[in-house]
């Protein structure tokens, strides 16, 4: 019945990480982001153990902070000894303040400004993932100034269509990210980077997309990348140590989504890499994976309080809640579907459908269309949205000057605040 095994129901109440969500709603108020810390660690450990087993000790997992980032999360990542993928000075700063060792950070992005580059070097970010020629020159210049040799990867687009939503499909030749193998640009940038004295090329990166379920996408990407690496070895006499295959494994938002077994998936990729390296007589590189969503998505749950229930005879029913596109813009952006549950009325029949909408002044402020919920939903009921750990808090805005909800962590049947609720004064704190 539940899409994730950290959900259950007891006496009509929805439990998350073994805690009564209605009690958490009254203790911390709504809207409220909950995060199951044990689940985050468990998800990280599946990647860690499997990668170590399949690829050896130089390989590893980099958590993609864009899925969700706050100081306490970086402390957990430091404890779990996993690397990170960062995309902005803000993420670097957050990790730095959390005491995270940035030697294990990989700096991504298709437009790193000169300030970003200088800031990341000041903070000793371990690796830059070079996206384009201008960036290569800018990183060279900054590294030369400091008389350091900066470790880098080059971002490649392998030319793979993942058949996911257009906005999260990043591996095609036509992409704002990376350098296509097919057009010769990948090789050209590689040659350029190899010629820059303050850069030390460690290998190659690709990221084919997000929320990917398609069979063997990562296997095909690995094979294409290895073929590219073999051709670079032949033409430029350079052998790469690292192959970073990016993130992207899909998670279950509703019962229509399959459940991906990460261990099996990674084992299949390892097998394909082994076969391909054999065929190409290429030394097996260290392999990195950069999951974001599949680490935090099912560790998250959002609670809202129902404010009004509107029935439009002959049309449909609306439930308005005290959050919406400001704390979860994913329906508005991608038409993403979620599972919505009545936290205090789990024993009733879910025999009426409602569109669950937010409180913003915007018709597109929708959280879910056609949610099946009990009859007679009313003001004060608590609604839970499942699997909101990824790309919710990190994409939240203050649209309509709505303060962002707090993030409350659940661990060992206890709870604690990791990010406090924004106050009205926080909202005006930058205004002069
Ligand atoms: C978005 C992104 C990731 C994480 O993707 P998920 O789908 O959240 O696993 C990893 N690497 C790069 C470069 C990305 O852009």
């Amino acid at each position: 019945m539940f899409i994730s095994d950290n959900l259950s129901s007891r006496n009509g109440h929805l439990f998350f990480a073994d805690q009564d969500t209605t009690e958490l709603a009254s203790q911390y108020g709504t809207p409220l982001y909950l995060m199951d810390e044990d689940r985050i660690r468990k998800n990280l450990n599946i990647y860690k153990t499997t990668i170590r087993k399949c690829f050896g000790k130089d390989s590893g997992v980099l958590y993609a902070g864009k899925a969700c980032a706050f100081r306490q999360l970086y402390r957990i990542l430091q404890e779990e000894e996993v690397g990170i993928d960062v995309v902005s000075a803000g993420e670097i700063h957050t990790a730095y303040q959390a005491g995270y060792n940035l030697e294990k950070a990989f700096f991504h992005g298709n437009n790193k400004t000169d300030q970003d580059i200088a800031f990341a070097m000041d903070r000793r970010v371990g690796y830059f993932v070079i996206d384009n020629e201008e960036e290569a020159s800018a990183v060279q210049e900054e590294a030369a100034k400091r008389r350091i040799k900066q470790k880098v990867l080059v971002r490649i687009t392998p030319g793979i269509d993942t058949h996911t939503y257009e906005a999260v499909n990043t591996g095609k030749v036509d992409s704002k990210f990376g350098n296509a193998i097919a057009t010769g640009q990948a090789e050209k940038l590689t040659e350029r980077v190899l010629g820059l004295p303050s850069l030390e090329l460690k290998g190659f990166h690709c990221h084919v997309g997000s929320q990917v379920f398609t069979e063997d996408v990562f296997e095909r990407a690995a094979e294409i990348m290895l073929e590219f690496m073999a051709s670079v070895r032949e033409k430029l006499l350079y052998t790469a140590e690292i192959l970073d295959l990016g993130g992207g494994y899909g998670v279950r938002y509703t019962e229509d989504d399959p459940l991906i077994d990460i261990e099996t998936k990674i084992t299949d990729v390892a097998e394909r890499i082994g076969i391909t390296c054999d065929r190409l007589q290429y030394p097996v590189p260290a392999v990195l994976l950069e999951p974001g969503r599949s680490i935090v998505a099912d560790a998250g749950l959002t609670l809202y309080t129902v404010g009004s229930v509107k029935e439009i005879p002959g049309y449909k029913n609306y439930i308005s809640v005290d959050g919406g596109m400001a704390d979860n813009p994913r329906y508005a952006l991608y038409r993403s579907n979620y599972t919505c549950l009545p936290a205090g009325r789990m024993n009733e029949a879910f025999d009426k459908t409602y569109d669950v909408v937010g409180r913003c002044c915007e018709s597109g402020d929708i959280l879910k269309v056609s949610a099946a919920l009990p009859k007679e939903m009313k003001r004060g009921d608590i609604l839970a949205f499942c699997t909101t750990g990824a790309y919710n808090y990190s994409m939240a805005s203050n649209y309509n000057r709505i303060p962002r909800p707090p993030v409350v962590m659940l661990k060992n049947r206890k709870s604690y605040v990791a990010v406090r609720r924004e106050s009205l004064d926080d909202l005006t704190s930058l205004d002069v």
Side-chain angles (χ1 to χ4, degrees):
M1 169 184 181
F2 291 105
I3 49 161
S4 172
D5 61 10
N6 52 357
L7 292 161
S8 61
S9 121
R10 282 170 230 169
N11 305 323
H13 285 195
L14 176 69
F15 277 63
F16 183 54
D18 272 335
Q19 299 188 46
D20 187 330
T21 55
T22 63
E23 282 174 16
L24 290 162
S26 42
Q27 184 180 347
Y28 294 102
T30 59
L32 174 65
Y33 295 121
L34 296 174
M35 285 210 104
D36 175 354
E37 179 174 336
D38 301 320
R39 177 54 59 119
I40 296 172
R41 291 182 190 268
K42 184 175 165 199
N43 289 341
L44 286 170
N45 275 290
I46 293 171
Y47 273 96
K48 263 166 58 179
T49 328
T50 314
I51 291 175
R52 201 175 301 138
K53 190 177 76 194
C54 292
F55 299 111
K57 67 167 174 43
D58 292 333
S59 300
V61 54
L62 311 175
Y63 168 71
K66 73 173 190 220
C68 187
F70 48 85
R71 288 199 291 233
Q72 180 62 2
L73 193 48
Y74 285 111
R75 292 185 196 111
I76 293 169
L77 295 161
Q78 178 74 25
E79 273 176 34
E80 294 291 340
E81 297 181 337
V82 300
I84 57 171
D85 144 355
V86 292
V87 295
S88 67
E91 287 183 5
I92 293 168
H93 185 61
T94 311
Y96 177 78
Q97 284 193 336
Y100 183 89
N101 173 12
L102 289 160
E103 295 273 325
K104 285 186 297 186
F106 286 66
F107 189 15
H108 283 282
N110 66 309
N111 183 11
K112 303 175 186 75
T113 65
D114 292 346
Q115 293 95 309
D116 290 340
I117 292 168
F119 180 74
M121 272 184 206
D122 286 343
R123 290 285 178 257
R124 305 271 193 278
V125 165
Y127 298 80
F128 281 60
V129 182
I130 303 286
D131 182 275
N132 54 70
E133 298 236 0
E134 293 99 316
E135 181 189 327
S137 309
V139 174
Q140 158 63 31
E141 196 173 311
E142 224 27 74
K145 252 194 247 170
R146 289 151 211 265
R147 300 175 193 282
I148 59 165
K149 221 162 155 80
Q150 177 62 56
K151 288 180 281 188
V152 302
L153 304 181
V154 167
R155 179 160 179 167
I156 306 293
T157 32
I160 284 183
D161 196 329
T162 54
H163 304 293
T164 52
Y165 190 83
E166 192 62 29
V168 293
N169 191 343
T170 49
K172 295 190 299 180
V173 172
D174 180 4
S175 170
K176 77 166 182 171
F177 298 105
N179 303 272
I181 297 172
T183 58
Q185 284 160 306
E187 186 186 314
K188 188 156 160 279
L189 180 59
T190 303
E191 187 169 14
R192 167 108 179 99
V193 167
L194 284 169
L196 293 172
S198 305
L199 303 192
E200 182 186 358
L201 182 63
K202 300 296 280 183
F204 298 97
H205 168 273
C206 69
H207 172 74
V208 291
S210 201
Q211 187 63 354
V212 175
F213 290 109
T214 323
E215 199 63 27
D216 89 339
V217 163
F218 290 89
E219 287 90 321
R220 282 188 285 136
E223 190 166 356
I224 292 168
M225 291 294 283
L226 286 164
E227 280 165 0
F228 169 73
M229 284 151 71
S231 115
V232 162
R233 178 179 61 176
E234 199 178 305
K235 293 189 194 153
L236 306 175
L237 305 175
Y238 167 75
T239 306
E241 292 164 45
I242 296 176
L243 171 58
D244 180 343
L245 291 172
Y249 283 121
V251 303
R252 227 164 161 224
Y253 287 102
T254 69
E255 270 157 21
D256 296 337
D257 296 324
L259 182 64
I260 283 197
D261 182 44
I262 296 295
E263 199 178 334
T264 312
K265 285 286 180 190
I266 294 177
T267 309
D268 290 348
V269 174
E271 200 177 296
R272 182 77 72 94
I273 288 179
I275 293 169
T276 310
C277 285
D278 257 6
R279 169 166 67 79
L280 300 168
Q281 295 287 297
Y282 201 88
V284 179
V287 173
L288 302 176
L289 295 177
E290 302 176 333
R293 193 190 307 272
S294 52
I295 300 297
V296 287
D298 66 359
L301 181 111
T302 307
L303 297 176
Y304 301 104
T305 303
V306 173
S308 72
V309 181
K310 190 175 287 180
E311 300 190 1
I312 310 177
Y315 292 85
K316 60 179 152 184
N317 310 313
Y318 284 96
I319 288 181
S320 295
V321 297
D322 56 354
M325 65 185 289
D327 62 82
N328 182 2
R330 292 192 67 255
Y331 183 85
L333 268 174
Y334 315 117
R335 299 282 173 269
S336 303
N337 202 356
Y338 282 92
T339 298
C340 167
L341 298 169
R345 308 176 63 168
M346 294 296 291
N347 284 349
E348 296 174 35
F350 299 178
D351 51 5
K352 192 164 169 181
T353 59
Y354 307 82
D355 281 10
V356 180
V357 299
R359 59 178 299 182
C360 291
C361 301
E362 181 81 55
S363 300
D365 178 15
I366 296 167
L367 287 170
K368 182 175 173 69
V369 293
S370 299
L373 291 165
K375 274 202 261 303
E376 292 158 28
M377 289 292 295
K378 58 176 195 319
R379 185 175 176 92
D381 282 342
I382 303 294
L383 280 186
F385 273 69
C386 306
T387 332
T388 55
Y391 305 106
N392 275 233
Y393 173 67
S394 64
M395 284 187 162
S397 75
N398 291 125
Y399 183 50
N400 286 179
R401 291 239 134 181
I402 294 172
R404 281 173 297 177
V407 180
V408 167
M409 303 288 274
L410 308 178
K411 181 183 163 70
N412 263 333
R413 303 196 187 186
K414 293 204 177 66
S415 61
Y416 66 94
V417 176
V419 180
R420 71 164 167 81
R421 187 181 294 283
E422 244 174 351
S423 68
L424 296 177
D425 284 338
D426 288 330
L427 286 175
T428 53
S429 65
L430 303 177
D431 299 7
V432 295

